[in-house]
Amino acid sequence: SSFGMLFNNASMILTPDGGTDIALLHEIKQMFLSIGFGSITVVSPEQHDRIIAYTSQLAHVVASAYIKSPTALEHTGMSAGSYRSLNSNMWSELFLENGDNLLNEIDNIINNLTEYRNAIASNDRVKLEALLEDGTKRKAICG
């Protein structure tokens, strides 16, 4: 059944607090692995919030900002469903609850995009190639 494959190789993040029993945590990890999760990561709640700001929330912010380009109106029928509506009430609450971490990630991407913009604006192929190579190396490290 499709339910049997629901968690097939999915990732699970556990965020125990300082008082969590280690033996119980081990049992919980084994249970998740037994129902099909592919990996279990244990992090602090604070580390979880930093990770989610980068892996999920920033992507939503960038996608929302991206679609606001005037060019978006010119591609009707050519986006292949790339832009989905999102629950603005839920996401705005999540963004604000994790504001410090999300602001840090937004600032990072603005700085990175500015580097690319400056290299292109100054027709600096050497700098642009270095930026692209750095991105490729980081992608290899991050998987």
Side-chain angles (χ1 to χ4, degrees), residues 20-139:
T20 302
D21 180 277
I22 298 299
L24 178 60
L25 183 61
H26 178 72
E27 286 182 38
I28 291 170
K29 287 173 64 175
Q30 294 309 310
M31 179 202 63
F32 282 123
L33 290 170
S34 74
I35 61 174
F37 282 88
S39 67
I40 311 294
T41 303
V42 179
V43 298
S44 70
E46 296 78 17
Q47 186 177 6
H48 169 271
D49 289 350
R50 283 192 310 275
I51 292 167
I52 292 302
Y54 173 74
T55 61
S56 176
Q57 294 175 336
L58 179 63
H60 282 83
V61 168
V62 170
S64 183
Y66 180 80
I67 196 61
K68 293 178 185 177
S69 166
T71 308
L73 297 173
E74 298 173 19
H75 72 64
T76 303
M78 296 189 291
S79 69
S82 299
Y83 314 112
R84 303 268 188 250
S85 63
L86 57 92
N87 182 327
S88 59
N89 183 48
M90 178 191 76
W91 281 102
S92 62
E93 183 175 334
L94 292 170
F95 292 169
L96 294 174
E97 285 178 3
N98 199 25
D100 290 343
N101 290 310
L102 185 54
L103 285 172
N104 183 56
E105 293 301 335
I106 290 171
D107 289 342
N108 285 334
I109 201 163
I110 287 170
N111 292 336
N112 290 333
L113 288 170
T114 299
E115 284 190 83
Y116 285 92
R117 188 209 177 282
N118 291 343
I120 293 166
S122 63
N123 204 29
D124 188 343
R125 184 181 182 125
V126 172
K127 177 66 174 174
L128 187 56
E129 285 181 6
L131 289 168
L132 292 168
E133 286 174 15
D134 184 50
T136 299
K137 288 176 188 172
R138 288 175 189 248
K139 175 64 177 150

